[in-house]
Amino acid sequence: MEVHFDGKRALVTGAGKGIGRDTAKALVKCGAEVFALSRTQEDLDSLVQEYPGIQPVQCDLGDPEATKAAVESVGPIDLLVNNAGIIILQPFLDVTLDAFDKVMNTNVRAVLQVSQIVAKGMVERGTGGSIVNLSSLVSKSVLKEHTSYCASKGALDVMSKVMALELGPHKIRVNTVNPTVVLTDMTRKIGYGDPAKAGPILARIPLGKLVEVDDVVNAILYLLSDKAAMVNGTHLPIEGGFLTS
């Protein structure tokens, strides 16, 4: 199955590393004009070196004013991938309000703000569009020490359904992808590169392996494309059968 986004303008948040970076590159290969947003200028610089056609946008999504200015600066967008996210691990009894707020601000509030700006433009132009929000399987199957992260992804799933309900009449589709642990720099930093930590999750995946970045990118491309023209308000699990156990 080939997808083409010729003539489409795409914005990917959290595009400096991992899933967001590979999504931005894949969208370029599919013909889209891509705007890559990241808080880390070095990551954007290296991305543009790889793909000179990508338009870099440096912004910390934790700053609402900077976010508004950055997203409005890119102009009309047809395809939006809200990928940016953070995780802070703490046992429930030790969760701090500061950590909880940081996770919710990036993983939920920023998605709300970015999506509002982009979707308003889609509505005004009457051209429709597609939005994919990067959620997680932890919205359905929780993990210890992931209170803030699980809460943020549960909120994101429900918000995405409301977005799909309200934006659907404007021909704007909204879906989420919900992978289990994906081997990225972020997950390796919190220990999932260690077989001892990954083992219990692997034991519940019938396919016997963790999710790769490409598995998620391919799902995102599908949901963004016309191949998914009647897919709206869906949470797509990417988990190798984890939920069957």
Side-chain angles (χ1 to χ4, degrees):
M1 181 184 72
E2 292 186 4
V3 295
H4 301 281
F5 298 115
D6 300 275
K8 301 293 186 181
R9 304 175 91 244
L11 172 63
V12 182
T13 71
K17 295 182 175 70
I19 295 168
R21 187 183 184 97
D22 281 14
T23 298
K25 293 191 290 187
L27 283 166
V28 170
K29 293 176 183 176
C30 292
E33 179 182 1
V34 177
F35 296 82
L37 187 151
S38 173
R39 64 182 174 183
T40 308
Q41 188 62 51
E42 290 180 2
D43 290 340
L44 290 173
D45 291 343
S46 64
L47 179 59
V48 172
Q49 284 182 346
E50 278 189 75
Y51 285 79
I54 289 179
Q55 304 295 319
V57 183
Q58 195 279 324
C59 175
D60 182 352
L61 293 176
D63 181 338
E65 292 303 318
T67 298
K68 182 176 185 293
V71 176
E72 289 180 345
S73 74
V74 306
I77 292 296
D78 306 294
L79 310 170
L80 171 61
V81 181
N82 284 304
N83 168 75
I86 63 171
I87 184 169
I88 300 174
L89 300 186
Q90 295 172 318
F92 173 74
L93 293 178
D94 297 326
V95 172
T96 64
L97 295 181
D98 180 62
F100 187 85
D101 286 346
K102 283 180 179 177
V103 173
M104 294 298 287
N105 285 346
T106 298
N107 296 6
V108 184
R109 189 193 69 192
V111 175
L112 169 70
Q113 186 181 16
V114 172
S115 298
Q116 283 179 326
I117 296 169
V118 169
K120 283 176 182 177
M122 292 176 176
V123 172
E124 289 169 1
R125 296 192 305 278
T127 54
S130 182
I131 299 172
V132 176
N133 296 329
L134 266 291
S135 187
S136 169
L137 204 66
V138 301
S139 69
K140 306 177 187 299
S141 180
V142 300
L143 297 171
K144 291 181 179 179
E145 300 186 350
H146 285 63
T147 298
S148 299
Y149 189 71
C150 289
S152 74
K153 296 305 183 180
L156 180 60
D157 278 4
V158 175
M159 184 173 74
S160 298
K161 279 191 173 295
V162 178
M163 291 168 64
L165 178 64
E166 295 191 15
L167 298 176
H170 300 284
K171 299 181 182 178
I172 301 168
R173 296 183 299 104
V174 183
N175 295 286
T176 70
V177 291
N178 297 59
T180 184
V181 175
V182 184
L183 287 176
T184 64
D185 289 342
M186 184 174 79
T187 56
R188 286 187 175 92
K189 283 179 182 177
I190 60 175
Y192 284 106
D194 180 357
K197 183 160 186 174
I201 292 178
L202 278 170
R204 291 188 59 184
I205 299 176
L207 291 182
K209 62 178 183 177
L210 295 179
V211 176
E212 300 287 349
V213 170
D214 280 351
D215 298 323
V216 184
V217 172
N218 289 334
I220 293 169
L221 295 179
Y222 164 70
L223 291 172
L224 289 175
S225 77
D226 291 340
K227 305 291 186 184
M230 280 300 290
V231 182
N232 187 39
T234 292
H235 309 311
L236 179 59
I238 306 170
E239 35 71 277
F242 182 96
L243 293 175
T244 62
S245 60

